[in-house]
């Protein structure tokens, strides 16, 4: 999102359905109250706003697959272009546990992401563009060019390679709980080659996510 937000022809929206997800599930997440107070909680209204015109060329939205609960509107996805970002589940767990110690495989979204691929195949007639986050870090320009051209059908812009540190207007109300490193960043960092060790407390969750991750990785862009 930082990368696309650095473009002058793009506006960004951070996790449009998160507030509706929190309202429907009742789950306790960091920043829950702020999110419910400051964000739209009606999923139908969110879907309408997603497709509304913007004042620039492109509207980049960062979604989380597991936010799309049964019964939420999905017709809008047929009118959007999709890039799915993949990350090794051990790295996701290492990051996620810093903000929320108790979670399940459903919270991490690998199963939802795998199901979403099938939905998008049915709606769009082709597999969506999938990319591993480490491949972006290994060669940001090549990966971002592929995301733009193959995933979104738009030209790459070198402005996407760097940005100013600090919060952004598009950051969700949950940013103070999750975005410390993002807010401090000015570009893409180096990939971590090591896979973090998963503690026994999260081992079952990890194994569940790993199966879906492997299936998704087999479909991902490889450079």
């Amino acid at each position: 999102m930082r990368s696309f937000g650095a473009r002058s022809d793009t506006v960004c929206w951070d996790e449009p359905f998160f507030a509706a997800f929190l309202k429907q599930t009742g789950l306790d997440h960091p920043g829950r109250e702020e999110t419910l107070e400051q964000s739209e909680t009606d999923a139908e209204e969110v879907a309408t706003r997603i497709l509304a015109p913007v004042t620039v060329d492109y509207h980049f939205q960062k979604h989380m697959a597991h936010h799309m609960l049964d019964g939420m509107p999905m017709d809008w996805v047929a009118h959007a272009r999709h890039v799915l970002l993949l990350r090794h589940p051990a790295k996701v767990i290492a990051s996620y546990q810093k903000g929320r110690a108790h979670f399940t495989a459903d919270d991490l979204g690998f199963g939802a992401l795998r199901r979403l691929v099938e939905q998008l195949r049915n709606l769009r007639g082709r597999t969506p563009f999938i990319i591993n986050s480490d491949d972006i870090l290994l060669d940001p320009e090549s990966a971002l060019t592929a995301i733009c051209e193959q995933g979104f059908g738009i030209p790459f812009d070198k402005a996407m390679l760097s940005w100013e540190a600090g919060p952004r207007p598009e950051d969700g109300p949950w940013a103070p709980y999750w975005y410390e490193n993002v807010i401090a960043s000015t570009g893409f960092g180096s990939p971590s080659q090591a896979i973090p060790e998963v503690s026994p407390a999260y081992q079952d969750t990890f194994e569940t996510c790993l199966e879906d991750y492997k299936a998704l990785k087999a479909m991902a862009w490889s450079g």
Side-chain angles (χ1 to χ4, degrees), residues 1-49:
M1 188 172 66
R2 279 293 186 274
S3 181
F4 276 88
R7 297 177 63 122
S8 62
D9 59 2
T10 303
V11 295
C12 298
W13 190 356
D14 191 12
E15 300 183 22
F17 286 96
F18 188 34
F21 167 83
L22 290 178
K23 182 179 179 180
Q24 289 192 34
T25 62
L27 290 173
D28 185 17
H29 276 242
R32 172 185 167 85
E33 295 306 318
E34 301 97 308
T35 300
L36 293 175
E37 290 173 3
Q38 300 175 34
S39 306
E40 178 58 61
T41 60
D42 184 332
E44 294 287 348
E45 177 61 25
V46 172
T48 298
R49 293 183 187 180

Side-chain angles (χ1 to χ4, degrees), residues 17 20 24 42-48 50 63 67-78 119 123:
F17 286 96
Q24 289 192 34
D42 184 332
E44 294 287 348
E45 177 61 25
V46 172
T48 298
I50 280 173
H63 291 274
H67 289 173
M68 305 309 301
L69 302 171
D70 289 343
M72 281 188 173
M74 289 294 289
D75 291 349
W76 62 272
V77 303
Q119 287 181 287
L123 285 168

Side-chain angles (χ1 to χ4, degrees), residues 29-32 34-35 98-100 173-180:
H29 276 242
R32 172 185 167 85
E34 301 97 308
T35 300
K98 295 176 183 177
R100 188 167 179 246
W174 50 90
Y177 302 94
W178 297 100
Y179 292 176
E180 180 180 359

Side-chain angles (χ1 to χ4, degrees), residues 149-215:
E149 295 179 354
Q150 299 179 38
F152 290 137
I154 66 175
F156 167 71
D157 185 337
K158 282 188 176 292
M160 300 175 70
L161 296 173
S162 63
W163 49 86
E164 292 185 5
R168 296 278 302 178
E170 61 265 24
D171 291 347
W174 50 90
Y177 302 94
W178 297 100
Y179 292 176
E180 180 180 359
N181 291 338
V182 172
I183 290 170
S185 71
T186 58
F188 291 97
S190 300
S192 172
Q193 300 299 325
I195 302 299
E197 183 177 349
V198 178
S199 74
Y202 302 126
Q203 194 63 41
D204 288 346
T205 295
F206 170 69
E207 294 293 340
T208 299
C209 294
L210 187 62
E211 180 180 349
D212 291 318
Y213 168 79
K214 288 179 177 178

Side-chain angles (χ1 to χ4, degrees), residues 35-201:
T35 300
L36 293 175
E37 290 173 3
Q38 300 175 34
S39 306
E40 178 58 61
T41 60
D42 184 332
E44 294 287 348
E45 177 61 25
V46 172
T48 298
R49 293 183 187 180
I50 280 173
L51 298 178
V54 293
T55 57
V56 292
D57 294 334
Y58 308 118
H59 190 184
F60 177 88
Q61 299 158 15
K62 188 196 83 179
H63 291 274
M64 306 294 280
H66 63 285
H67 289 173
M68 305 309 301
L69 302 171
D70 289 343
M72 281 188 173
M74 289 294 289
D75 291 349
W76 62 272
V77 303
H79 305 284
R81 297 175 183 177
H82 306 275
V83 168
L84 306 187
L85 183 64
L86 193 58
R87 193 180 184 199
H88 194 284
K91 294 183 178 182
V92 174
I93 289 171
S95 175
Y96 195 93
Q97 67 185 15
K98 295 176 183 177
R100 188 167 179 246
H102 303 290
F103 53 89
T104 68
D106 288 342
D107 291 316
L108 303 185
F110 286 91
L113 195 62
R114 191 174 176 182
R115 293 190 293 272
L116 180 61
V117 169
E118 294 306 314
Q119 287 181 287
L120 293 175
R121 277 176 171 167
N122 293 334
L123 285 168
R124 305 278 302 184
R126 61 184 177 87
T127 300
F129 187 87
I130 303 171
I131 189 165
N132 199 303
S133 62
D134 281 345
D135 287 331
I136 300 176
L137 298 177
L138 283 168
D139 187 347
E141 184 164 349
S142 295
L144 289 168
T145 298
I147 288 171
C148 290
E149 295 179 354
Q150 299 179 38
F152 290 137
I154 66 175
F156 167 71
D157 185 337
K158 282 188 176 292
M160 300 175 70
L161 296 173
S162 63
W163 49 86
E164 292 185 5
R168 296 278 302 178
E170 61 265 24
D171 291 347
W174 50 90
Y177 302 94
W178 297 100
Y179 292 176
E180 180 180 359
N181 291 338
V182 172
I183 290 170
S185 71
T186 58
F188 291 97
S190 300
S192 172
Q193 300 299 325
I195 302 299
E197 183 177 349
V198 178
S199 74

